[in-house]
Amino acid sequence: MLSAFTARPLVELRQRDKFKIESILAYGDRLLVGLNTGSLRIYRVNETQEAKQKHNGSANSDDKPPSRPSSSAAPKPVDLLREVEKFSTRAIEQLARIKEANVLISLSASYVSIHDLQTYTLQEQLTKTKNATTFAVTSNIVQDSATGIPEIISRLAVAVKRRLLLWAWHESELEPDMVEITLAESIRTLTWASATKIICGMNSGYVIVDVLSQEVEDIVGPGAIGGAPGAPQGRFGGMGSASMGYMGLGGYIPKPLATKLADGEMLLSKDINSLFITSEGKPMTKRQIPWAQAPDAVGYTYPYIIALQAPAKGALEVRNPETLSLLQTISLPNASQLSFPPPTVSLAHAGKGFHVASDRCIWAMGATDYDSQVDELVEKGLYDEAITILDMLEDALLRNKQERLREIKIQKAQVLFDQRKYRDAIDIFLRKDVQAPPERVIRLYPRIIAGDLSIVEEKQPDAEVENEEGSEHANGESPGIEEVPPEVVGSPKPAAVSKLIKGHQKASSDTSSIRSFAKLDAADASDTASVKAKSTDDGPLEGKDLVTAALELNAFLVDARNRMKSSLDAETGKLVPKDKSKQNGQNGENGFGQGSFESFLTSPATDSEKDREEKLRETAKLIDTTLFRSYMLVRPQLVGALFRIPNFCDPDVVNEKLLEKGRYHDLVDFFHGKKLHRPALELLKKFGMAEEEEESAPTLYGPQRTVGYLQNLPPEMIDLILEFAEWPLRAKPDLTMEIFLGDTENAETLPRDKVVDFLQGIDLDLAVKYLEHVINELNDLTPDFHNQLVAAYLRDLKNRQDRDSDDWKDLMNRLVTFLRTSKQYSLGKAFGNIPRNDFYEAQAVVLSNMGQHKQALEIYVFKIQDFEKAEDYCNHVHLQSSTESSPLQSRKASTVEEDDATPPSIYHTLLSLYLTPPPPHSPNWPPALDLLSKHGSRLPASSTLSLIPTTLPVAELESYFQGRIRAANSVVNEARIVGGMRKTEVVNAQATLLLGDPMTGGKGGRNRGVFVSKERVCGVCHKRLGGSVIAVLPDNEVVHYGCLNRANGRPTSSGMESLRSASWRR
């Protein structure tokens, strides 16, 4: 049990004393005691040394109150200052004080009386309180509704049977008016809920009364603790079972109790039922207090609920308001009443001391130190109680409240983990207000997950087993885990992988990632001492329990990885700058703050940035390595996903584990993440070039995996890419060419000259394919690439023997098209490389680009003898030349005689080759006449007719002359049409200038005018225009010249700019 309070006897009546204690009132160092004889005793409470020590936390181990002081020399707890013998004629049933009015209120002889607090003389007996049973007082600071000035108002409520009588003191002055409110039943208890509302307890239930509006509202609760009068009642009402006496002779009706709690809450209690309500009387969703017996009195002292059992039992119970658990029971013989300080003190914790009285003794209940109370709860394993107490207490009352609260929650989670409640434990570890250090969570697991960091004591194998299987368990794993037996790797290991294994054979895989943490925490014994090592003798963590715990650990480690990103950059391993953390919205608890950094560590780090970075890097290594082990145990398929993101996994552990399990695919991903590309590519080459598919690595067979890996390498590693791309190119060239042709940034930024040289050494067709991609799709204008593509085309065409096949013709068309469209290759080098036989069209294209049109036409006419291509060639050249001049100019030029300096038309050149060919060719009349009929208008008449022999009949030239005449007529007609349209345009412009735009109603132009009368006002300022300078808007609106800018909706500008948009005159 908790030692929250200790009882110290203050007043003990002697055996020969015939009077009894009826009521008590304590304030300051004064203790007022009302006796059954009507006398009032005033004591002064002395602070003894023993009481001070108990107040500081030295609680008495025995819950029973001590007897009288053992030594007469010891100081007395109280001194009797005065006794007022004739304070009342009857027993003093109740006492209260109104400090602001300096008065003492008493209930005696069924009357409420007012006394002076200093002299204890009677000031007034409230005669209207005859037959009073109880009263309640309250003092509050209330803001005046009229003036808004806060003032102290004290109220006195008296219960007289069914009547509720109310008096008020305003600024220490008693108001003459009294308020009377009549209820449905007799009032048994009164408790102030707020400054203006009071709760009245009756046999049938509770009501809350507003003293200002005099409204009465029933408090509805479970059972018969509340309800409307006349409603069916349970055992708490007058007709309940508890009110029934033996043989119908009547019985005891439980007293309705009420007390005010913290944060505007109140507790109602009747018999063994309880109800939590707000200060407005609304029920709250809280369970009932599990009282074994009905309390005789209830109260609240920060932060506990106090209940006093019946005097026959004499037990004082201390309960937690949140968990409602019984924390302490103090035996106080015949105790019958509680006395608490007023609940309106400035600080809630200032009233933590209270008094308990019986008819013969008064005890002062002193609270022990809050830190000691929390420590005591933690030592007894009552973590929930300690957490709720810490949450209720103010920060100023505890040492390092937040740190202690976090530590207690971590200890609670560790206990839940030991109880196999893994989900609940991890949920606590993951809370934002906890965020347990990863090391403390990981150490709860066996060595197969935590390595040397584990605190789990596992059974050691016998000596013979160690000798026989020592090599098998060299990594420190427990051989008793049957769920995850080590797999036998049957496939051969690549050479590069074997080198890596040899370099790490001496190191223990499970201890390498923990070794640094063992050094860091060698001097920190506080954390390990609080969590004792768990032995597997009473139930080792294995089988399904281990799998379940590992799955929950995965969630914790993933969350820790995400939190680590705000402090440590996973790419570089450096601390994240503070300004970057704030920009990412990671400031405060989840950012780079001190609290976030310390949540990852079990031992504090120095202020050095280097030390902080090193500790965080070690923590990240522990997190990722443990996550890898856990994945390998329960979710091996997630290992690849872990390796494909930046991680801090220990290479030694990963190497050995993956090779042991034969997970070569994941090993490749790990090598890639760690930028160990050569070992990864050698491993892929080993399995990819194997004669048969390996059962342990079926996805690595063939070039597909290698191609995908090479595609992700940056351009800076071009030498490595080309080195390991050769064997996939020879196996599947179409698939492998995606390394260089893919629509990715890496493929587009590769050094193209090295790629071309590499592909030419393997296959010329692959080089051509790559050059076409670079030039046609990537629009590379490098002349060397264009020259290389032309040379590659020619080399391929020369080497092929199937010149009549479609492939050869298709390649030739590609060459001709490229020669025609590209402008970057060397014309002289290309013409020199083209063979003189069977490559006529390619020669013609190059000659055309060189400007040698006649030589190109000679190839089309005499060597290829394709007159349609010759005509198309002329059309193409003519269109290129016509773009430099307008069509009308070209038509006019073709209808007049050319000068001697003007070069002949391309059609004239073709016609001369037809009609006057060089020897040994003879004239070719049919294509010549066809050319004249189609393009005669584009040929100069004089030079054209001079080429025609006189023996040719004129009838053959009919189509030529018709074309010439039509072309001339077209030029004349077009000129006429253009001239007429220009005249129409001039007329429209003149009409607009003179008459204005007809679309706007004809208002405008030089002929418009406006009439300004004496009454006409400006459309902007609405003042008369008079003789001022005016401006006329396009819609004939007249404004002042100074208002012109506002009329146009523009800011003020100079007058000359305004004249451009409106006319003006004076």
Side-chain angles (χ1 to χ4, degrees), residues 794-811:
L794 294 173
R795 192 181 308 115
D796 196 7
L797 290 170
K798 291 176 184 179
N799 295 335
R800 291 191 177 186
Q801 302 299 327
D802 54 343
R803 297 193 175 187
D804 294 333
S805 63
D806 294 338
D807 293 340
W808 193 90
K809 292 179 181 179
D810 179 66
L811 183 60

Side-chain angles (χ1 to χ4, degrees), residues 750-757 760 767-768 770-772 774-775 779-793 818 822 824-825:
L750 290 173
R752 296 169 184 173
D753 52 347
K754 292 185 178 182
V755 175
V756 172
D757 296 340
Q760 286 179 347
V768 171
Y770 179 73
L771 288 171
E772 289 178 345
V774 169
I775 294 173
N779 196 24
D780 194 322
L781 302 179
T782 305
D784 291 341
F785 293 155
H786 290 250
N787 291 330
Q788 288 180 359
L789 182 57
V790 172
Y793 278 142
F818 179 74
S822 176
Q824 305 299 325
Y825 64 90

Side-chain angles (χ1 to χ4, degrees), residues 113-133:
S113 303
I114 302 176
H115 304 262
D116 184 86
L117 189 59
Q118 301 298 327
T119 61
Y120 308 106
T121 59
L122 179 64
Q123 293 183 350
E124 181 182 359
Q125 186 180 56
L126 303 178
T127 57
K128 293 184 179 182
T129 62
K130 184 180 180 181
N131 298 324
T133 55

Side-chain angles (χ1 to χ4, degrees), residues 27 289 351 376 436 505 524 580 677 738 847 919 976 1054 1056:
Y27 60 93
I289 299 177
E376 185 177 355
Q505 278 180 345
D524 184 18
K580 185 176 180 180
H677 301 301
E738 290 298 319
L847 290 172
R976 289 177 180 176
S1054 62
M1056 295 304 296

